[in-house]
Amino acid sequence: MHPERPVMSQPPERPHRNFYGRRRGKHLRDSQEAYLQEDLDALSPGPVGWEANPERHPLDLGALFGGREVWLEVGFGGGEHMVHQAGLNPQAGIIGCEPYINGVAMLLGKIRRAGVDNLRVHPGDARDMFDVLPEASISKAFLLYPDPWPKKRHHRRRFVTPEHLEPLARVLKPGAEFRVATDIPDYVRQTLEEVPRAGFDWLAEGPRDWREPWGDWISTRYEQKALREGRVPHYLTFRRQG
């Protein structure tokens, strides 16, 4: 009799994911191009994309940050908040996801100037990052001024939909904090509807809890623009159930 051949497992099938945001804006300065060429690879959290990791092997976060707790920022814009938090919290490692390469270049310049070493950068879709984060591995997550997609027919593109919130809930530890900041009233409404459905508790006890920023907050360029244009920021804090 011939020995049975081992069953070869098939790699996961890559899901179809539409991407609607911008990946690149106006011309980058020479210094920003240099940041991307010289710094980005060294700040990689590991193989995240499907081309680099078709088997979707989980990232080794313990090795990545030396056993520190891990935080996640989804859509870090120009990186002001990420660098600020990294400086305040050396006990944590922070991974940021941002597909807009101009914002990535801005962040890299801020990292150089601040000299922080507890940040890692994924210049792509957060959904790919969710694929490779171990379950219950993230202690805190931030969603700060996400793309509002104001037209009603585009609301399904917002982050606060099951496509994003369910995998986010999977990678957050029970009791992990999830912060959302937005200046769009309808985004507040959708957040307060969808995030609890995904397994989170809203922690507000009174109006001050969503009208006043967190004690460790730094106002971003986007927030300053919103304030100048008369829009009111909302600061929503949730806790992962479990």
Side-chain angles (χ1 to χ4, degrees):
M1 296 180 62
H2 296 286
E4 293 184 5
R5 293 182 179 179
V7 177
M8 303 298 291
S9 61
Q10 295 295 318
E13 183 176 351
R14 183 172 186 168
H16 176 71
R17 288 171 174 161
N18 289 321
F19 180 80
Y20 298 103
R22 292 189 300 167
R23 291 193 181 274
R24 196 177 188 95
K26 60 186 179 181
H27 181 70
L28 293 169
R29 296 193 299 270
D30 289 344
S31 61
Q32 293 177 321
E33 293 280 8
Y35 300 152
L36 293 170
Q37 292 295 323
E38 298 169 10
D39 297 356
L40 185 56
D41 285 349
L43 292 171
S44 171
V48 175
W50 280 82
E51 292 80 6
N53 186 359
E55 303 285 347
R56 313 315 284 150
H57 294 303
L59 300 177
D60 186 348
L61 299 183
L64 185 64
F65 289 117
R68 287 179 280 192
E69 62 178 307
V70 183
W71 299 359
L72 177 69
E73 184 163 338
V74 176
F76 54 72
E80 305 102 307
H81 178 263
M82 264 188 75
V83 172
H84 173 71
Q85 291 290 349
L88 287 180
N89 297 282
Q91 83 286 354
I94 308 176
I95 299 174
C97 303
E98 175 59 67
Y100 185 51
I101 201 65
N102 297 58
V104 173
M106 292 174 65
L107 169 68
L108 296 179
K110 292 179 175 70
I111 291 174
R112 279 198 183 190
R113 291 188 290 274
V116 290
D117 63 359
N118 54 333
L119 293 177
R120 296 295 183 271
V121 184
H122 170 54
D125 196 321
R127 291 172 293 185
D128 292 339
M129 175 62 69
F130 293 147
D131 291 343
V132 296
L133 284 173
E135 185 172 348
S137 61
I138 302 299
S139 300
K140 186 178 291 189
F142 306 93
L143 178 70
L144 308 176
Y145 294 101
D147 195 324
W149 295 110
K151 296 180 180 179
K152 188 173 182 179
R153 69 177 184 270
H154 293 157
H155 287 184
R156 61 187 175 82
R157 301 179 182 180
R158 290 174 170 174
F159 184 90
V160 288
T161 56
E163 181 183 6
H164 302 89
L165 293 174
E166 290 174 3
L168 173 66
R170 182 190 70 81
V171 303
L172 287 179
K173 294 181 177 180
E177 185 177 299
F178 176 39
R179 295 182 179 180
V180 181
T182 181
D183 58 313
I184 307 300
D186 187 67
Y187 208 104
V188 173
R189 175 200 59 78
Q190 189 171 348
T191 300
L192 293 177
E193 288 178 357
E194 296 292 343
V195 174
R197 290 175 184 166
F200 294 82
D201 294 319
W202 185 31
L203 301 185
E205 296 180 352
R208 293 181 59 183
D209 294 326
W210 67 80
R211 291 176 179 168
E212 296 183 5
W214 302 281
D216 58 357
W217 177 244
I218 180 173
S219 188
T220 64
R221 291 187 314 143
Y222 185 91
E223 180 171 274
Q224 290 302 310
K225 180 174 183 288
L227 291 169
R228 288 194 302 272
E229 295 177 359
R231 296 191 298 275
V232 179
H234 292 71
Y235 308 94
L236 309 175
T237 308
F238 301 89
R239 178 182 294 130
R240 176 72 172 98
Q241 295 170 358

